[in-house]
Amino acid sequence: MARPVFFCARAQALARRAWGCHRPGMTRPETDRSHTREMLLHDLRQMGVHPGDGLFVHASMRAIGPVTGGAGAVVEALLGAVGPEGLVAMPGFSSEAYFPSELSREALSAGAVAGIESAVPGFDPQRSPADGMGVIAETFRLWPGTLRSDHPAVSVCLNGCDAAGYRAPHALAWACGPGTPLDHLRARPGMKLLLIGVDWTRCSALHTAETLAAHRRTKLRRFKTGPGDAPWCETPDVADDMGRLFPGAGAALEATGAVRKALLGQAQCRLCGYAELIDFAAGWIDAANAASGARD
């Protein structure tokens, strides 16, 4: 049975309002015109990014759509939006310190494992790409003035006012928790989380939240501590979420009205307070893990 026309129109209007979009549908219509740095800067201003703010950003270039100047123009818009007194941070996670994921250690001889471990390049803060984080994060890593923390697997890149103060230290164990940039940034005034065209499953700050929870899912992270013949180590950390809790934690925060939804180019975005997210999600994840029987 077809729904009444007035129901569909009302649903579309509510969807447009939720995403800060006044055009038909939940996203801007695709056009032949490319977005510019100035257009993106305008969008950031409209969604509530102000000079002096801090932004921890996860972003999808594909979701934004065509941009004149590519990922560099996006980085310029983000840095321009927060200004010289602001700060932008992005994940700089690298796989160069890990045993190759396509190989099974259990199926190899001890000699073969030793040979592969010796050949693993190891993390170099200047050279190792932020693979898997997207072209915007990799462009940001290489941007003039960007600093990178020294965790071999879970580094953070920062650019802006007092970036050096938030970059270090970065503890090896519980790599998103206390003693890491992801936790240091909780204390920065005006710090916000910005998801650009990605959902809560990509939000590193939710790993910080779970680290702080009394009931948390855990794993051992094994990685090479540096290039060449550097030793390997195993450290405790929170487990990969795999979409089990993070979407629910994000949706619960959205239900409180604490998350601003808007568009950057064609990308659906979420903007919220950084510390507020972590504090809320730590409690939500703790309760969910306690209910499911998950233990540290």
Side-chain angles (χ1 to χ4, degrees):
M1 178 178 177
R3 293 180 175 178
V5 173
F6 74 85
F7 179 90
C8 296
R10 176 171 173 76
Q12 290 174 359
L14 290 172
R16 291 197 299 273
R17 186 181 309 164
W19 287 103
C21 179
H22 301 292
R23 305 182 187 185
M26 289 184 67
T27 59
R28 292 177 174 134
E30 295 184 11
T31 68
D32 294 332
R33 186 176 67 171
S34 179
H35 303 291
T36 66
R37 173 190 176 280
E38 289 71 23
M39 292 175 181
L40 299 179
L41 183 57
H42 173 78
D43 285 348
L44 289 165
R45 288 276 183 263
Q46 289 294 107
M47 76 171 69
V49 177
H50 306 296
D53 280 351
L55 293 176
F56 196 101
V57 180
H58 291 270
S60 165
M61 188 71 203
R62 179 178 298 179
I64 296 172
V67 177
T68 302
V74 178
V75 172
E76 287 183 333
L78 290 166
L79 292 171
V82 300
E85 299 301 315
L87 178 71
V88 175
M90 297 189 195
F93 305 171
S94 174
S95 64
E96 290 201 342
Y98 288 131
F99 194 85
S101 60
E102 67 272 15
L103 299 178
S104 170
R105 295 172 58 90
E106 292 72 20
L108 299 170
S109 67
V113 168
I116 293 169
E117 288 191 341
S118 178
V120 167
F123 175 72
D124 182 315
Q126 301 301 319
R127 177 187 55 79
S128 296
D131 44 5
M133 298 296 102
V135 66
I136 295 173
E138 177 64 2
T139 300
F140 181 71
R141 178 185 75 84
L142 297 170
W143 204 258
T146 293
L147 304 179
R148 191 180 197 181
S149 69
D150 60 3
H151 195 285
V154 192
S155 64
V156 174
C157 295
L158 306 103
N159 193 313
C161 185
D162 202 23
Y166 293 103
R167 173 181 62 168
H170 198 150
L172 293 180
W174 308 108
C176 295
T180 75
L182 284 154
D183 185 62
H184 306 327
L185 290 169
R186 295 170 64 204
R188 187 196 186 277
M191 192 69 200
K192 299 173 180 177
L193 173 87
L194 175 58
L195 302 179
I196 303 173
V198 299
D199 60 24
W200 293 106
T201 62
R202 299 294 299 274
C203 180
S204 302
L206 291 176
H207 290 296
T208 305
E210 184 154 17
T211 304
L212 299 174
H215 300 85
R216 55 190 179 185
R217 302 159 295 172
T218 63
K219 68 176 183 181
L220 285 178
R221 186 191 300 276
R222 189 170 190 276
F223 52 88
K224 195 171 184 177
T225 55
D229 295 326
W232 288 69
C233 73
E234 285 189 349
T235 59
D237 218 326
V238 289
D240 299 328
D241 180 66
M242 306 300 289
R244 289 172 289 188
L245 295 183
F246 288 5
L253 182 66
E254 290 178 20
T256 71
V259 180
R260 177 78 180 270
K261 295 182 178 181
L263 294 177
L264 182 69
Q266 295 170 6
Q268 298 173 357
C269 300
R270 293 173 169 88
L271 180 72
C272 65
Y274 185 82
E276 291 81 359
L277 165 67
I278 292 174
D279 292 345
F280 176 90
W284 193 96
I285 291 172
D286 178 61
N289 282 333
S292 67
R295 294 291 186 272
D296 190 348

